[in-house]
Amino acid sequence: KELSKVDLLEKNKQTKTPTQYIMSGTKTPKMRVHELPQWAKLKASAPEFQTKPTLHLRTLCADSDRCAGLTATHTNPDGRAILLDYSRQQVVGETMETLFDLAYRVGVTEKRNRMRRGERINETEDRAVLHHVLRMPKGYEYSSNPDGAKLMDEVHAVRDQIE
């Protein structure tokens, strides 16, 4: 019997993390996000947010414990803090856990890191995805990419012409 993609993922989970499996490049088909159990769980819970009065955003925002549990602060090495406030979204803790689990299963962190390094992650066009460079300020040290300094110079030369 031929194994389904989900069965193959579960089989490989015993020896590899989901990220290793998905990023491994094996001949086993990659999982698509909509084929994962986390996606199904999110999809199944969505109607409740439309129909249950207790899950209305106004009600959710009135719950101070929920709001406190759905905020996080990230401090950059230079001391600047960024507040991540998920409490103004129509989610509960379980929703966020499922979203984070889904992100882990599809390798978002590793894919983001590969993007920052300038690797060819655009499989359709077989090229790097560098649109994030357009948002980097002048003088930003883009050392995670071997061509970072050159890219920054090119981007800012064009931006200077536009200004």
Side-chain angles (χ1 to χ4, degrees):
K1 175 185 170 192
E2 190 172 318
L3 294 174
S4 71
K5 290 179 186 180
V6 173
D7 292 335
L8 287 168
L9 179 62
E10 293 306 316
K11 180 180 174 191
N12 279 287
K13 261 178 47 178
Q14 297 167 11
T15 58
K16 298 179 181 179
T17 67
T19 302
Q20 289 171 327
Y21 167 70
I22 291 169
M23 303 300 294
S24 67
T26 61
K27 294 185 180 183
T28 306
K30 290 182 183 178
M31 294 296 298
R32 296 187 184 273
V33 70
H34 66 272
E35 296 172 331
L36 293 169
Q38 293 84 352
W39 183 270
K41 184 176 180 181
L42 290 167
K43 193 171 179 179
S45 68
E48 291 182 3
F49 285 93
Q50 296 171 343
T51 58
K52 276 190 170 180
T54 57
L55 294 176
H56 189 281
L57 187 57
R58 195 173 304 123
T59 306
L60 294 172
C61 287
D63 181 347
S64 59
D65 289 336
R66 175 194 163 272
C67 292
L70 289 173
T71 58
T73 303
H74 171 75
T75 304
N76 291 330
D78 63 2
R80 292 181 299 157
I82 299 170
L83 173 68
L84 303 171
D85 185 358
Y86 301 109
S87 69
R88 302 301 181 240
Q89 301 301 313
Q90 199 175 10
V91 297
V92 293
E94 184 180 351
T95 311
M96 294 304 296
E97 287 178 26
T98 305
L99 286 166
F100 287 131
D101 189 33
L102 180 63
Y104 170 78
R105 292 292 295 263
V106 298
V108 168
T109 301
E110 177 57 27
K111 288 177 182 180
R112 180 203 61 209
N113 293 341
R114 291 178 64 216
M115 176 185 76
R116 288 179 177 171
R117 290 190 301 264
E119 293 181 24
R120 295 175 176 268
I121 62 169
N122 180 334
E123 295 175 3
T124 306
E125 299 174 13
D126 189 31
R127 64 183 186 93
V129 177
L130 298 170
H131 53 274
H132 61 288
V133 177
L134 299 174
R135 294 168 181 83
M136 293 178 179
K138 266 187 182 175
Y140 182 85
E141 187 180 324
Y142 186 28
S143 57
S144 62
N145 184 323
D147 298 323
K150 179 183 168 199
L151 288 167
M152 292 298 294
D153 290 343
E154 290 174 6
V155 164
H156 286 287
V158 172
R159 287 176 69 180
D160 290 343
Q161 288 177 348
I162 294 171
E163 294 174 3

